[in-house]
Amino acid sequence: MAEVKTEQPFAQSSMKTYSLVELVRGAPTTMADKGPDNTVFAFPVVALLELVIALGVSALLMIVALLKNAPLEELANPLVTTDPAKAPWYFMGLQELLEHMHPTVAGVLIPTLAVLFLLAVPYLDRSRVGAGKWFGGAREKRVVWFTAIYALSVMPVYVVLDNAFPVRELLRDALPPLLAQAVIPALIMAAIVAIPVFVVARTSGQKATARQILLALFTLLLFSAIVLTVAGFLFRGPGFKLFFPWDMPDGYNPLNNF
Amino acid sequence: MASLVDAVTRSRVWRSFFRHGFPDNPLDRSLVMTTNIFFHLHPVKVNLKSLKVTYSFGLGVITVFLFVTLAITGTLLMFYYVPSVERSYGDIVILQTQVPFGQLFRNLHRWGAHLMVLAAVLHMARVFYTGAYKPPREFNWGVGVVLLILTLGASFTGYLLPWDQLSFWAITVGTSIASYEPLMGATIKKILLGGPEVGQDALTRFYALHIMVIPAFLALLIALHIWRVRKDGGLAANET
């Protein structure tokens, strides 16, 4: 009778007892060799903290809901346009931008670039230095302060100036529409962003890190969005013209748009 | 009393629910996290640094809690609301004037939605400024970006539902921004609105997106997002 060959998944004895699998460069991503164990059991500490947050948010939300009613205007009427007609507050930054440049640039190109930039962030800055620490270092903190103050001061000036002397209107007859409406306003916006990034890149003494450039870009994006949103939401009144929020004509109150 | 507690916790019914003892020891404190579907999204142990309030400000937890609040209040609103051009506005008026606590629940839903957008943006800023997107957390940062867009989508689609002048013109303005896309703009607008302008078709679509599609994706991605925090080694704070 022929001997049936049984399958053997593992060799019973091998001369080789171990092998080199991989060399890992840089800091390990695991918790191994990370100094003294500074951990606690998540239960009940984290569960209790989350309960405290839940109660705090509930209390705050309940107080707001008791004090202020959600707005309800008249029945929707496609024949009667409200003045101004505004998007929800988180899109007012985009609607404000629409006042300053071609709608494809303001409504499509810039938001698409912003989302792509956000998605690309961790792939542009691959270093693990400073992870888990606010800003990461003294110089990084200064970059954030500089770009935040820059955006908070330059963007309002841009809104007011471009409103008083609208580039796209002044150049309407002098240049082809594509240049006047899209290219030149986009270049102005690009310059507003590029100047502080250039300053950050050049003044760092040594070569600026990817983290520092990203901090500058993200801060510019965040604080410009805040300025544009506030401008559109609070300072735009009837005819989508600029007014002080407390000085709106026709009894229009921008806070009723929440 | 003690023997009653004992009798309950030793009963077959109790033990079929909870597969661990009272969590006052390391083993049961581990089991309570790993055997509960909600707790298991968390790690069993956390670094004390990641619990510091001034590190995370609890913004992620606040956002999730607001989402849960919105799901609950939203369900209650659905009991009294029909997405129809003829009925919706009247339903809101009845909700506010005749339904017990109707106005309060609408207020909670409205202000909770605004707060959730705000909390999500602040959470993203916190994660960016603490460098918490750095490897190995690249993927989870991307999930977060998608969650922020979904949050805006949830809020935007809900904005139309009261069918008053505010919602009608806000959605008209908002969707016209989308139509400026040179190649697909008109198509995108038509898909969103179901027609050339905001009407019954738009209300139907926004309602379906608002109560079903977007919340489903949000719930799924929130679970992925939190689970991934654990898989990537907890909050980045413990690496400093």
Side-chain angles (χ1 to χ4, degrees), chain A:
Chain A
M1 197 177 167
E3 198 176 311
V4 180
K5 200 177 179 187
T6 54
E7 228 177 89
Q8 284 203 308
F10 299 104
Q12 274 184 341
S13 67
S14 167
M15 296 299 288
K16 206 170 169 186
T17 54
Y18 64 91
S19 61
L20 183 65
V21 177
E22 192 181 72
L23 275 175
V24 179
R25 291 192 176 82
T29 58
T30 58
M31 288 296 292
D33 303 325
K34 284 276 172 71
D37 186 5
N38 195 19
T39 57
V40 291
F41 277 98
F43 192 91
V45 180
V46 174
L48 284 174
L49 277 175
E50 287 175 357
L51 186 68
V52 168
I53 290 175
L55 289 173
V57 176
S58 300
L60 178 79
L61 187 58
M62 188 56 90
I63 289 167
V64 175
L66 287 170
L67 291 179
K68 183 113 177 85
N69 280 344
L72 188 68
E73 295 183 355
E74 281 108 71
L75 176 66
N77 186 349
L79 302 175
V80 180
T81 315
T82 56
D83 186 25
K86 288 187 177 182
W89 64 271
Y90 38 84
F91 288 150
M92 282 315 294
L94 289 182
Q95 204 181 334
E96 175 63 42
L97 262 189
L98 285 170
E99 287 295 300
H100 302 280
M101 56 192 77
H102 191 278
T104 305
V105 179
V108 180
L109 190 65
I110 289 177
T112 307
L113 282 177
V115 170
L116 290 179
F117 164 74
L118 288 174
L119 287 171
V121 158
Y123 303 97
L124 298 172
D125 172 23
R126 285 165 300 175
S127 124
R128 286 176 44 75
V129 177
K133 199 167 166 247
W134 272 90
F135 306 114
R139 166 142 186 94
E140 280 74 11
K141 204 171 174 178
R142 280 205 303 278
V143 169
V144 173
W145 271 108
F146 165 65
T147 42
I149 291 170
Y150 174 91
L152 287 177
S153 40
V154 170
M155 288 311 286
V157 174
Y158 167 79
V159 169
V160 172
L161 269 186
D162 193 65
N163 187 65
F165 311 101
V167 174
R168 51 192 293 201
E169 299 302 329
L170 297 175
L171 297 175
R172 189 177 283 280
D173 299 324
L175 290 169
L178 182 70
L179 273 179
Q181 301 292 310
V183 176
I184 289 176
L187 284 178
I188 292 173
M189 190 50 75
I192 290 176
V193 173
I195 290 166
V197 174
F198 189 74
V199 170
V200 168
R202 277 305 156 100
T203 54
S204 66
Q206 63 264 29
K207 202 164 170 283
T209 59
R211 168 74 171 157
Q212 288 164 2
I213 301 294
L214 286 182
L215 278 169
L217 284 170
F218 184 87
T219 309
L220 286 167
L221 174 65
L222 180 66
F223 283 84
S224 301
I226 292 171
V227 170
L228 290 171
T229 305
V230 170
F233 186 78
L234 281 183
F235 289 83
R236 290 285 178 180
F240 217 68
K241 292 192 174 70
L242 285 177
F243 295 97
F244 284 109
W246 55 87
D247 198 22
M248 289 280 175
D250 311 333
Y252 170 68
N253 181 1
L255 291 176
N256 289 342
N257 272 45
F258 264 122

Side-chain angles (χ1 to χ4, degrees), chain B residues 58-140:
Chain B
L59 286 164
V61 178
I62 289 172
T63 314
V64 173
F65 180 71
L66 285 169
F67 174 71
V68 174
T69 309
L70 288 167
I72 295 167
T73 54
T75 307
L76 290 168
L77 295 180
M78 278 169 68
F79 292 166
Y80 293 95
Y81 175 88
V82 175
S84 134
V85 170
E86 283 85 32
R87 274 198 59 177
S88 290
Y89 184 79
D91 285 348
I92 301 287
V93 173
I94 291 169
L95 176 86
Q96 292 189 163
T97 52
Q98 293 171 33
V99 177
F101 301 109
Q103 175 81 64
L104 179 67
F105 276 103
R106 182 167 177 242
N107 292 351
L108 286 170
H109 197 73
R110 183 89 176 190
W111 305 132
H114 287 331
L115 272 181
M116 187 181 164
V117 173
L118 186 68
V121 171
L122 290 176
H123 174 59
M124 168 180 265
R126 191 287 286 174
V127 170
F128 180 84
Y129 286 123
T130 53
Y133 59 82
K134 288 164 177 262
R137 299 182 176 80
E138 306 100 309
F139 175 75
N140 216 14

Side-chain angles (χ1 to χ4, degrees), chain B residues 41-61:
Chain B
L41 295 170
H42 297 64
V44 168
K45 295 186 92 179
V46 291
N47 194 297
L48 281 173
K49 283 182 192 164
S50 60
L51 296 182
K52 220 179 136 198
V53 175
T54 52
Y55 175 74
S56 73
F57 295 98
L59 286 164
V61 178

